[in-house]
Amino acid sequence: MPPTLYRDTGYSLSHLIEDIKTGRIGLPDMQRPFVWSAAKTRDLLDSMYRGYPIGTLMFWETGAEVGTRQIGMESAARSPQLLIVDGQQRLTSLFAVLTGRHVLTKSFEERRIRIGFRPEDQTFEVTDAAIERDAHFIPDITVLWSSGYKTTVRQFFERLSATLDEKMPDAQKDELEERIDRVRDLRDFRFQVVELDDTTDEEQVAEIFVRINSEGVKLNQSDFILTLMSVHWEEGRRQLEDFSRAAVDPAVTGTSPRNPFLDPSPDQLLRVAVAVAFRRARLQHVYSILRGKDLESGRVSPERRQEQFTLLAAAQEKVLDLASWHEFLKCVATAGFRSRKMITSDNALLFGYTLWLIGRHDFGLQAPALRPAIARWFFMAHTTGRYSSSPESQLESDLGRIASLPAGDGSAFLAELGRIVAANFTGDYWEISLPNRLDTSSSRSPALFAYLATLNILDAEVLFGDLRIRDLFDPSGAAPRPLERDRLFPRKYLESLGISGTRQANAIANMAYVDWPPNVRNNADAPGDYWPRITEKVAPQALARQSRWHALPVGWEQLDYPTFLERRRQLIARVVREGFDALTDGRKRHPQMTAGELIEAGESQTTEFKSSGRWNVHTEQHDPKLGQILVKAVCGFLNAEGGVLFIGVDDDGKILGIEEDFVTFGSKQNTDGYELFLRQLLDDNLSSPTASTVRIRFPEVDEKTICQLSVAASGNPVFAKTAKAGTGPTDFWVRVGNATKQLHGEDLIRYREQHWG
């Protein structure tokens, strides 16, 4: 029989309360916003009163010996011997009710949890003004566990008697008093507790938690690290929580982390600190590192733990530095983003801040040099959704590329960021991928916000008005007057053409910020009717300027609706490119990367290598199965950010060429035959034609011919056929980090919603 990792035991509520007070049991939730409602606390007390089961508590031995001092704290701050893994909200509620301690609301306001009890029908209620006045209630049961218990009971009967027309019989009084005593006796309620010993690692704890938790809640890695900080470095955890609180608490005055983009949470800030300290994006092993565990031997060392916490503390100090925080936020504003309404990816913000801190402290760059570089990086990362799926894998890849740079070489750091940006913002991206991403009606599309950010960068006006687009997104809410995006082809006019449905009418390419002159058009007017009436009163220079900013094709009012949408999407993409190029701050723009430079940069979210497309180097013969691998790779790029697939390059970036593939084509042993093969392969095996999304080239690298497939992001989901004969395109592949992953079921549905809206 395998050894058990736990022991079953029991604690009375009063025992638990005392251990929390003395610090033997760690209850960090008393300093964090309270998640439970007061009604849930009421229901918990009612269940205990009636003797119902209320679930098992789970504690975890920290391994800290009695009297162990917390890192960086005075001797009075001792490490708890037990941490609450499951049951924090229950114990926080009960601790607050029995002791009268305040809890924090989500807005960081302190309040008491006040529960009333009516002995006549044995009911608990959340105390309000009516219950305060009701003589049938003890309005605050906290007093039942205080030294004034007897006085409270006496006063209750005095109030109750005063409201009754007749004297209360002694038997009834005894019965009510007995019920009040039952509430007081809840201090002796016995909890079933599972205690995990200190040899249990975090993965085992998470698995046990999921298996015994009836709600199926999962613990994530940041939970573990924050919990560990509660044991060994409570001050560090509190610093994170104080920073988060100051970012949203209106009572905080003076310089604060408050900003128009993000309400940072402790676990988000922790992720940045971990990335800066350990160059880790995946938190899988960070918990073990901070415990002082050697990942090779598995031994835990207090000295090692101290060293790792010292590194984390130094990094956290940089993260929480308000000057750094606000300097980074200037980068986001420089990129054209004005408020959280325009932010669809918190990860893009947080990981952008990570790179800013690394550039500032590890490469010695000053804020003026970092601002345009990080602005361009954020614009790219947010627009392409770089950190939307598998963000940890992508950031780890980015951190790995930076780690290989010469220490302290700021120029190398900026150049590397520029290379990654250029590898994502290729000519194909601007001409194919971005227009495809604009083919949606989603009001939360990153492509739409890239366009609006561009209009802010270019200081553009609304159409037909002198208001600036940037003023409409003023985070202070001080816009001169409210103005919404409106349709250029009105809804009723589209319906008269047989075009109905929200997606068609609200397509991004049909919407613009327009300050309509009064009484010049109605919802049924054709653009060809209302446009001349309006424009005859607009100065030609202003009309030309606004038409360019708002990406209106020449003669757009005479175009049919589908043609108008297609042409305007292309023009919007050009405007976005113009705005992005303006972020160069007058310096030389990064040229488009050659095939050799892309290969030298290595595989990534947007670059993949395949040794061959037809010739199996192991069997030395034509292998049709290799074609299915190419289909999967292209499908993955189409469903993600797009990218480049190189054929004739091995995993290490060695140039092999495709000459051996040519041999398998019979009479067409040339690039024309190769392109024909690829086009037919993709069209036969993918659910959408690829003529407009895949460009095929054959560059020469190291005197060898390779094949370069530049794949644009698709505007709609694309499915691939399975390897089984006769089946349709049902497999959904997506590029995640350096790999292509197949998604199923809920994961697929969730990805579609997040990626395409």
Side-chain angles (χ1 to χ4, degrees), residues 386-540:
R386 187 173 185 83
Y387 299 117
S388 296
S389 61
S390 296
E392 291 183 346
S393 299
Q394 185 57 64
L395 180 61
E396 195 121 304
S397 173
D398 294 338
L399 292 174
R401 293 178 65 166
I402 292 171
S404 63
L405 301 176
D409 190 339
S411 297
F413 176 81
L414 295 177
E416 184 62 28
L417 291 190
R419 277 192 289 271
I420 297 174
V421 169
N424 284 271
F425 275 171
T426 62
D428 288 337
Y429 180 85
W430 298 118
E431 295 168 17
I432 304 175
S433 291
L434 186 55
N436 283 346
R437 296 293 290 273
L438 288 163
D439 186 10
T440 177
S441 62
S442 172
S443 61
R444 297 291 299 164
S445 166
L448 169 61
F449 290 129
Y451 174 50
L452 297 180
T454 291
L455 295 180
N456 291 335
I457 293 169
L458 300 177
D459 200 27
E461 305 150 357
V462 301
L463 192 59
F464 303 136
D466 55 5
L467 292 176
R468 294 292 193 265
I469 297 291
R470 56 178 165 77
D471 293 332
L472 303 179
F473 288 90
D474 191 322
S476 68
R481 53 193 168 89
L483 195 67
E484 300 293 334
R485 290 163 66 231
D486 203 357
R487 302 175 189 87
L488 297 172
F489 278 67
R491 180 186 287 275
K492 287 187 178 179
Y493 173 68
L494 290 175
E495 290 175 351
S496 73
L497 300 178
I499 300 173
S500 60
T502 300
R503 189 182 192 282
Q504 290 99 327
N506 290 357
I508 285 176
N510 190 36
M511 308 293 286
Y513 280 102
V514 188
D515 193 2
W516 298 111
N519 304 318
V520 295
R521 78 155 200 172
N522 60 50
N523 206 24
D525 277 350
D529 293 333
Y530 75 74
W531 183 253
R533 294 198 300 267
I534 299 176
T535 55
E536 68 179 2
K537 299 178 181 179
V538 180

Side-chain angles (χ1 to χ4, degrees), residues 20-34:
I20 292 170
K21 285 181 177 179
T22 60
R24 180 175 177 270
I25 295 177
L27 184 60
D29 273 12
M30 291 307 295
Q31 287 81 42
R32 302 172 66 188
F34 187 60

Side-chain angles (χ1 to χ4, degrees), residues 695-708:
R695 293 186 178 182
I696 301 174
R697 304 183 181 91
F698 296 91
E700 297 282 334
V701 181
D702 293 348
E703 300 182 349
K704 294 182 180 179
T705 300
I706 63 173
C707 181
Q708 176 180 341

